Amino acid sequence: MIRYEDVRNNAEIQMLIDGANHVLSAMKYTEHGLRHVGYVSRTAYMILDKLGYDDKTKELARIAGYVHDVGNMINRKDHGVTGATLIYPILKDMGMPLEDVCAVCSAVGNHEEEIGSVVNEIAAAIIIADKSDAHRTRVKRLNERNEDIHDIVNYSIRKNIVLVDGEKKIISVKFYMDNSSSVMDYLKIFLPRMVMSEKAAKFLGCEFRLYINNVIINTVKRMSRKQMDDVPKPDDDDIE
């Protein structure tokens, strides 16, 4: 079986990752290089490990996390699909079984919130890992006047954590922000990503919880129609 170390040491894959990060730097995006793909790789592996998945599935998630952004070397638009197309022949030529190549490429091709779907456990893991990587170290433009909302929000995040309770089947993503940005700004850019993460957690049989500064943002349990009907209605005097 092709291992993560084999993929990490492949010169062609390294060139794609470096090229993708260079292109996004020119487009003034946040960091998408070795730090980011390393984080996604480790976190995807951890998620499946905590949930008790087998070694092969965990290793494939680790590999998919490492190569998930290579499509940015061509263009940011539809980079997941492009990345899957680029990585397919490389993994095949390295000797990875075709079944495993397909699983990895399906995950890579579906990790974007704009066009992707949660198609397998590997995709679910790298989606949650990828979308949870918001942090001030990803911001590159620190010495110029910067009004880009992505940079502002990322720079305000001092700590990000993904916690998995395998017994209770709960995946929690926690962000700790300072007051240089706001939760409203965070939601403007990250809400679709967190919605996709929620779907990914559900695919893995888990509940998804999003916290910002220790306050839970999403509703954990949906109210029934009867519960909603029982909520006290405001008096007319309370409505201006």
Side-chain angles (χ1 to χ4, degrees), residues 188-203:
K188 286 177 183 177
I189 58 175
F190 281 101
L191 183 57
R193 304 177 196 185
M194 291 299 103
V195 170
M196 192 179 196
S197 295
E198 191 172 48
K199 292 177 181 177
K202 185 177 181 180
F203 188 95

Side-chain angles (χ1 to χ4, degrees), residues 40-165:
V40 174
S41 177
R42 292 190 306 273
T43 305
Y45 182 96
M46 179 275 292
I47 291 170
L48 296 186
D49 183 51
K50 294 285 188 181
L51 294 175
Y53 280 85
D54 60 275
D55 290 341
K56 178 182 176 180
T57 303
K58 292 187 294 186
E59 192 70 5
L60 291 177
R62 197 178 181 191
I63 291 170
Y66 194 74
V67 302
H68 78 284
D69 264 349
V70 297
N72 285 305
M73 193 271 295
I74 304 297
N75 197 291
R76 179 64 177 172
K77 183 175 175 56
D78 298 340
H79 68 276
V81 175
T82 305
T85 305
L86 289 171
I87 206 67
Y88 179 92
I90 298 175
L91 296 178
K92 188 170 177 287
D93 290 345
M94 289 177 67
M96 180 179 283
L98 189 56
E99 178 184 8
D100 297 344
V101 175
C102 290
V104 169
C105 290
S106 294
V108 171
N110 277 282
H111 82 272
E112 296 178 79
E113 64 271 16
E114 296 88 354
I115 60 172
S117 300
V118 189
V119 296
N120 57 30
E121 292 85 356
I122 299 166
I126 68 169
I127 285 167
I128 297 170
D130 181 43
K131 311 314 174 191
S132 70
D133 190 22
H135 192 266
R136 68 196 316 264
T137 56
R138 297 194 68 184
V139 179
K140 296 180 177 182
R141 295 172 290 166
L142 298 179
N143 296 322
E144 60 183 273
R145 188 170 181 267
N146 190 349
E147 295 181 353
D148 182 85
I149 188 172
H150 294 82
D151 285 346
I152 293 170
V153 171
N154 273 277
Y155 194 71
S156 73
I157 298 174
R158 300 306 178 101
K159 188 176 183 180
N160 60 314
I161 307 172
V162 178
L163 299 174
V164 180
D165 189 325

Side-chain angles (χ1 to χ4, degrees), residues 9-21:
N9 293 327
N10 183 283
E12 191 171 2
I13 292 174
Q14 288 296 315
M15 184 66 70
L16 289 176
I17 293 172
D18 290 341
N21 190 41

